[in-house]
Amino acid sequence: MAPMGIRLSPLGMAVFCLLGLGVLYHLYSGFLAGRFAFFMLSEPAAGGPESPHGSAPGGAVDLRELLAVSVLAAVRGGEEVKRVREGNVLNAKAKGKTREGAEEQLTTGDLLSNRRMYYLLKGAFPAVQINSEERVDTADQETVPWDHSIPEDIKQKIQPKEVPAESVTVWIDPLDATQEYTEDLRQYVTTMVCVAVNGKPVIGVIHKPFSSYTAWAMVDGGSNVKARSSYNEKTPRIIVSRSHAGKVEQVARQTFGNKTVIIPAGGAGYKVLALLDVPEKNQEEADVYIHVTYIKKWDICAGNAVLRALGGHMTTLTGEEIIYTGSDGNEGGLIASINMNHKALIEKLPDLEKTSHK
């Protein structure tokens, strides 16, 4: 008798293999799909890393956070300004002429301060437009991180307030009073940051690098500085640019009387601080700040915001509000005051407006 044996059908083998593959598919397909989805969700969005908190493109910006970063930026820029001046490595050179024909100076302090301030603000709020006095060299880009910490004095006085990112423009002055900086007149030097919302200045930061004093204020928020309480409106002390003192003095004395005091000074930031109660031994005091020629907006935006927050005014010589969008220059000169009748001051100075376009 022939031995008994088992013969496997080729068709049966094929069916068996197909059933096995089906079981394996059901077991592992869910796992692999889950892993793939996790991998895709874990990848950063195209175009780079996630945007920092409060600054997603097209999103909202918290003004309290922006104030905190602005203060830090002014201080960090001031550190560069101070380090360059004390090391006497200014490398000063002319970058052009003003409309009055004076040489504009550019130093290493301007450039290093600008780089530090710009990239700190841009890193924290990439969706916000930033205008700076100095050109930003993308080849010299650096990462300046912000740890999202908010100083206690800002926490105590300022409440969170969100605005659309597209409504915000930041104005940076990385070194105000460069001419005085080259002359080692350190008391006039400031670094400044201003935040404008829909063209209106709402946050101002003025930092004095050589004394480490910082004034900040937010409109409808709070401030760490106050206005002075004593003024003499009949014979005010008028603070003006050193180069314009003679031009203003004649008209001012004709308007207010021969007892009017003219204070020549450098830097728009310094001049605004002169109107406030500033605990600085090298800070002069004035009642009115007047500028009679064209001036750049990054020079005046921070001071304008501080004055507005404290109930003061900064306008053109004809009383028009200065809008901080569009062009970077203000053609109409300016007059600034606080706790005074600003309209009456403007009416007393009609002749100055004629010189503001020269």
Side-chain angles (χ1 to χ4, degrees):
M1 180 180 289
M4 298 284 296
I6 298 174
R7 299 180 64 182
L8 299 176
S9 167
L11 179 59
M13 287 290 292
V15 171
F16 180 81
C17 290
L18 288 173
L19 289 172
L21 289 172
V23 171
L24 291 173
Y25 173 79
H26 284 288
L27 286 173
Y28 289 100
S29 62
F31 172 77
L32 292 174
R35 294 302 298 170
F36 179 75
F38 176 79
F39 173 78
M40 293 300 292
L41 291 173
S42 299
E43 286 294 300
E50 288 185 314
S51 298
H53 174 64
S55 59
V61 171
D62 182 358
L63 290 179
R64 185 171 74 166
E65 289 189 348
L66 190 45
L67 169 59
V69 178
S70 298
V71 170
L72 182 60
V75 172
R76 291 284 178 83
E79 291 170 355
E80 296 296 317
V81 168
K82 183 178 180 181
R83 181 174 62 83
V84 170
R85 178 66 265 185
E86 292 182 343
N88 199 28
V89 287
L90 275 64
N91 297 319
K93 60 181 180 181
K95 68 175 183 179
K97 290 188 176 183
T98 65
R99 291 190 178 187
E100 295 81 39
E103 291 283 359
E104 282 194 284
Q105 296 290 311
L106 178 67
T107 70
T108 301
D110 293 88
L111 297 176
L112 294 181
S113 174
N114 183 69
R115 185 176 69 180
R116 182 61 56 89
M117 294 173 70
Y118 178 86
Y119 284 116
L120 174 57
L121 286 157
K122 197 64 178 176
F125 295 92
V128 167
Q129 179 181 340
I130 300 176
N131 297 335
S132 179
E133 179 174 8
E134 306 305 337
R135 176 176 169 271
V136 178
D137 188 352
T138 55
D140 202 22
Q141 183 173 348
E142 68 172 309
T143 300
V144 185
W146 177 51
D147 62 4
H148 295 279
S149 64
I150 299 176
E152 284 302 318
D153 59 340
I154 293 179
K155 279 185 180 180
Q156 293 172 5
K157 297 179 180 180
I158 306 294
Q159 296 298 315
K161 181 179 181 180
E162 291 191 343
V163 296
E166 61 269 21
S167 70
V168 176
T169 305
V170 177
W171 296 84
I172 299 175
D173 193 341
L175 201 170
D176 190 40
T178 299
Q179 180 62 46
E180 286 74 18
Y181 182 64
T182 63
E183 298 172 14
D184 209 15
L185 298 173
R186 305 183 183 195
Q187 71 272 23
Y188 297 128
V189 176
T190 62
T191 57
M192 295 187 287
V193 181
C194 177
V195 176
V197 177
N198 295 321
K200 295 183 178 181
V202 298
I203 290 174
V205 180
I206 305 175
H207 175 68
K208 299 183 77 173
F210 296 102
S211 65
S212 299
Y213 174 76
T214 306
W216 60 259
M218 177 172 159
V219 175
D220 296 328
S223 69
N224 71 340
V225 64
K226 298 179 180 179
R228 288 188 297 105
S229 57
S230 59
Y231 297 90
N232 190 337
E233 198 164 343
K234 293 183 178 179
T235 56
R237 291 164 292 180
I238 300 177
I239 193 164
V240 299
S241 295
R242 296 163 71 207
S243 58
H244 302 158
K247 184 181 294 185
V248 177
E249 182 173 6
Q250 182 178 0
V251 175
R253 292 191 186 282
Q254 290 174 353
T255 304
F256 297 109
N258 291 329
K259 293 183 179 180
T260 301
V261 178
I262 304 298
I263 305 173
Y270 178 90
K271 297 185 188 80
V272 169
L273 291 178
L275 306 181
L276 308 177
D277 185 9
V278 175
E280 288 277 290
K281 63 180 181 180
N282 291 327
Q283 178 66 59
E284 295 168 283
E285 295 182 352
D287 302 311
V288 181
Y289 166 27
I290 294 176
H291 188 86
V292 296
T293 62
Y294 173 88
I295 191 168
K296 293 296 183 68
K297 291 178 181 177
W298 43 66
D299 290 319
I300 59 177
C301 186
N304 198 340
V306 171
L307 289 173
R308 285 188 69 222
L310 298 175
H313 302 274
M314 178 184 288
T315 66
T316 66
L317 294 171
T318 57
E320 297 176 0
E321 296 295 330
I322 302 168
I323 304 301
Y324 294 90
T325 55
S327 69
D328 60 14
N330 172 51
E331 296 280 357
L334 71 85
I335 179 168
S337 68
I338 190 167
N339 289 345
M340 297 184 73
N341 188 332
H342 193 76
K343 184 178 179 181
L345 287 172
I346 294 169
E347 291 173 351
K348 287 181 178 180
L349 299 171
D351 295 332
L352 287 177
E353 196 276 334
K354 297 177 183 179
T355 68
S356 66
H357 303 286
K358 294 181 179 179

